[in-house]
Amino acid sequence: MATALVTGGTSGIGAAFARALAARGDDLVLVARKAVRLEEAAAELRSRHGVTVEVLSADLGNRADVERVAERLQSREAPVDLLVNNAGFGIKEALTSPDLSSYDEGIDVMVRAVMVLAGAAGEVMRDRGHGAIVNVGSTAGYATMGGYSALKAWVSVYSESLAVELRDSGVTVTVLAPGWVRTEFHERANIGTSKIPDFMWLDADELVAECLRDVARGKVISIPSRRYQALIFLARHAPRSLVRRASVLLSSGRH
Ligand SMILES: NC(=O)c1ccc[n+]([C@@H]2O[C@H](COP(=O)([O-])OP(=O)(O)OC[C@H]3O[C@@H](n4cnc5c(N)ncnc54)[C@H](OP(=O)(O)O)[C@@H]3O)[C@@H](O)[C@H]2O)c1
């Protein structure tokens, strides 16, 4: 019997992870800020799949809360076998804005918390000789669409580095790079989506199913769907000037 801890497990991609993991019989620890929503999500998963679901209300922008989640990950009595570092949000604030507070929060939640939680999980999983860590990055990390791209590029390089550190330990590290997925992400960040063509949208459940297959294979970089695999291949091999020009076009559709 395995246990998975999913941050941001109450909505969008995190909720899709929670559904898929519960459906295969994993017990869960769900982490997010809103306690009522956590309880509702947990009750639904328990009744539908008969698994044990713990909830941990925590703001991953708060260091003491991150510490509580790290302690849960390091529990020896109730071990966590899979960490999904998924919580995050979009930021479209200009990098020259006089108010960069959304980036402070973004760095805390999508960089610092990811590093502290994956580090805590990696340490205890390595001692145990098995485990898996998934960090949710973004295809935006391969583009130059503001500070959000930079944060997600960090998640990608960090995850590969952690995979190198944990090689041959029995612990796998996978960075998931989703393309556009219809979740609360865009509305929460006030990002316009009307110009995104239909064929660019991915289904959260399919995205997660493909990612979990990659995790089972020990794949370090998971890019679900052939169309995003092709796009990222181009982004990695095209001249950076072309990537920057494409990023201008993509960014202009977000307002
Ligand atoms: N949707 C996309 O197109 C897309 C594309 C690429 C990458 N991603 C990445 O996918 C991940 C999940 O995004 P999503 O699209 O599923 O967004 P979402 O539907 O808005 O869900 C975000 C989840 O994260 C939690 N969360 C947000 N801030 C938090 C904080 N400070 N502390 C703890 N939990 C927090 C939310 O719960 P509470 O509000 O209750 O805390 C919620 O459960 C993010 O890392 C995002 O950057 C999304």
Side-chain angles (χ1 to χ4, degrees), residues 213-231:
R213 283 197 293 275
D214 287 341
V215 171
R217 280 192 228 116
K219 234 175 142 180
V220 177
I221 302 175
S222 174
I223 305 169
S225 90
R226 290 242 184 268
R227 52 201 187 280
Y228 277 99
Q229 283 160 13
L231 269 177

Side-chain angles (χ1 to χ4, degrees), residues 20-224:
L21 294 165
R24 75 179 192 191
D26 286 9
D27 290 332
L28 292 170
V29 184
L30 298 182
V31 179
R33 286 167 301 184
K34 297 184 193 103
V36 172
R37 216 170 157 187
L38 275 168
E39 288 299 349
E40 284 168 3
E44 162 82 17
L45 291 163
R46 284 183 204 116
S47 79
R48 190 176 289 254
H49 301 289
V51 295
T52 299
V53 186
E54 283 171 56
V55 298
L56 239 174
S57 172
D59 179 352
L60 298 177
N62 174 303
R63 289 188 175 204
D65 282 11
V66 174
E67 213 37 59
R68 275 195 298 120
V69 181
E71 278 166 20
R72 176 63 191 86
L73 285 165
Q74 294 212 308
S75 164
R76 310 242 165 209
E77 298 75 48
V80 171
D81 307 284
L82 166 66
L83 162 65
V84 183
N85 252 327
N86 159 81
F89 50 88
I91 309 172
K92 68 170 190 183
E93 197 66 43
L95 290 166
T96 48
S97 162
D99 177 10
L100 295 176
S101 54
S102 53
Y103 286 113
D104 287 337
E105 196 187 342
I107 289 166
D108 282 342
V109 175
M110 292 183 276
V111 173
R112 188 180 180 279
V114 167
M115 184 170 69
V116 172
L117 300 184
E123 184 191 7
V124 71
M125 287 173 180
R126 183 185 48 208
D127 290 351
R128 251 185 255 133
H130 71 90
I133 296 168
V134 177
N135 295 324
V136 179
S138 174
T139 50
Y142 295 91
T144 55
M145 295 163 66
Y148 179 76
S149 282
L151 298 192
K152 291 301 191 179
W154 181 91
V155 173
S156 184
V157 178
Y158 165 76
S159 302
E160 286 194 78
S161 302
L162 185 63
V164 168
E165 189 169 317
L166 291 174
R167 69 191 179 285
D168 305 326
S169 68
V171 183
T172 63
V173 182
T174 302
V175 55
L176 166 64
W180 277 297
V181 186
R182 285 190 210 280
T183 65
E184 295 173 14
F185 176 94
H186 304 92
E187 202 185 325
R188 285 189 198 224
N190 197 20
I191 294 171
T193 56
S194 58
K195 293 193 179 138
I196 301 169
D198 276 350
F199 72 92
M200 293 306 290
W201 289 100
L202 298 172
D203 176 79
D205 293 310
E206 286 171 17
L207 172 97
V208 163
E210 200 166 332
C211 176
L212 289 174
R213 283 197 293 275
D214 287 341
V215 171
R217 280 192 228 116
K219 234 175 142 180
V220 177
I221 302 175
S222 174
I223 305 169

